[in-house]
Amino acid sequence: MSKSHRGHTPMLPIVVLISGSGSNLQAIIDAIRDDGLPVEIRAVISNRPDAYGLQRARAANIPAVVVDHTAFDNRSDYEAALQQRIDQYTPAMVVLAGYMRILGAAFVEHYQGRMLNIHPSLLPDFPGLNTHQRAIDAAVAAHGASVHLVTNELDGGPVIIQASVPLLVEDDATTLAKRVQTQEHHIYPLALRWFAEQRLSVKAGEVLFDQQPLNQPVHFNSDTDAT
Ligand code: GAR
């Protein structure tokens, strides 16, 4: 790992996987540029050639790579190619940022303890898709986003940090998604900072925060935790 330009924290090398807009990718790029986030994005890889996030990567001089899942006969061939491509960049962490494909067991196993995902709900509530509409339909008091380690259980790995937003009577899925995404853009860079600073680590599947077992997710409060 190379030294960060600001301090003594080594840069955490990551590869970011996307499928779409890449606003979380952009939040990480911005935090590196503006807040000294000690992270080096070695590549952005998309399974979709038209993902807008690829343009964001190119604009930031980050290698933008397509591994198009439709070009493969089956998932295991696709994931083997994806894994090979990721590993060329020797990342310490693989960061799923709106990557919208379910991953197979061998792939998840290969990155065990070093693959993160951001999910638009307060896990364990609403794993899977359409989380905002489901939260509205369930009339929850609060909704939000979670950063978690990826395991073989869909959206089920240990949660590191969550941020919540209240559900408003006038909310529809679009307005709610927008407020949740604003929170996502805080908590993903923050979780990466903690990994880079080695405040967060994973040992034998257990998440440690400041050397203590993380028994429940950190709850992000933008007024107090914005460092
Ligand atoms: C984000 O809201 C993220 O939480 C969600 O996709 C969006 C991607 O936005 N991820 C999932 O639903 C994963 N199951 P982005 O491309 O603008 O970062």
Side-chain angles (χ1 to χ4, degrees), residues 65-121:
V65 177
V66 175
V67 183
D68 183 347
H69 66 276
T70 65
F72 294 84
D73 288 339
N74 57 61
R75 187 167 73 184
S76 71
D77 285 357
Y78 159 65
E79 288 183 356
L82 178 61
Q83 180 178 314
Q84 193 182 39
R85 204 65 216 256
I86 293 169
D87 289 350
Q88 283 175 4
Y89 295 99
T90 58
M93 299 214 78
V94 175
V95 174
L96 308 184
Y99 178 74
M100 300 305 281
R101 292 194 62 83
I102 291 175
L103 294 166
F107 187 91
V108 171
E109 174 70 26
H110 181 71
Y111 298 107
Q112 192 86 40
R114 55 192 182 108
M115 183 155 60
L116 289 176
N117 183 39
I118 190 154
H119 181 78
S121 79

Side-chain angles (χ1 to χ4, degrees), residues 83-210:
Q83 180 178 314
Q84 193 182 39
R85 204 65 216 256
I86 293 169
D87 289 350
Q88 283 175 4
Y89 295 99
T90 58
M93 299 214 78
V94 175
V95 174
L96 308 184
Y99 178 74
M100 300 305 281
R101 292 194 62 83
I102 291 175
L103 294 166
F107 187 91
V108 171
E109 174 70 26
H110 181 71
Y111 298 107
Q112 192 86 40
R114 55 192 182 108
M115 183 155 60
L116 289 176
N117 183 39
I118 190 154
H119 181 78
S121 79
L122 297 174
L123 291 170
D125 291 349
F126 310 120
L129 298 175
N130 302 320
T131 58
H132 307 302
Q133 189 58 52
R134 286 160 63 206
I136 290 169
D137 293 346
V140 292
H143 182 49
S146 307
V147 174
H148 68 96
L149 280 168
V150 178
T151 63
N152 268 317
E153 192 188 339
L154 177 67
D155 300 323
V159 179
I160 289 161
I161 183 168
Q162 294 183 317
S164 43
V165 300
L167 193 64
L168 307 178
V169 277
E170 64 269 27
D171 265 329
D172 58 26
T174 306
T175 59
L176 186 54
K178 197 157 183 278
R179 288 208 314 290
V180 169
Q181 279 217 337
T182 301
Q183 296 301 312
E184 294 185 4
H185 301 161
H186 291 297
I187 63 175
Y188 223 176
L190 185 55
L192 290 172
R193 178 181 293 279
W194 288 338
F195 274 105
E197 293 174 346
Q198 296 183 26
R199 294 188 66 188
L200 268 174
S201 59
V202 183
K203 296 218 167 67
E206 185 179 47
V207 181
L208 302 178
F209 188 54
D210 290 341

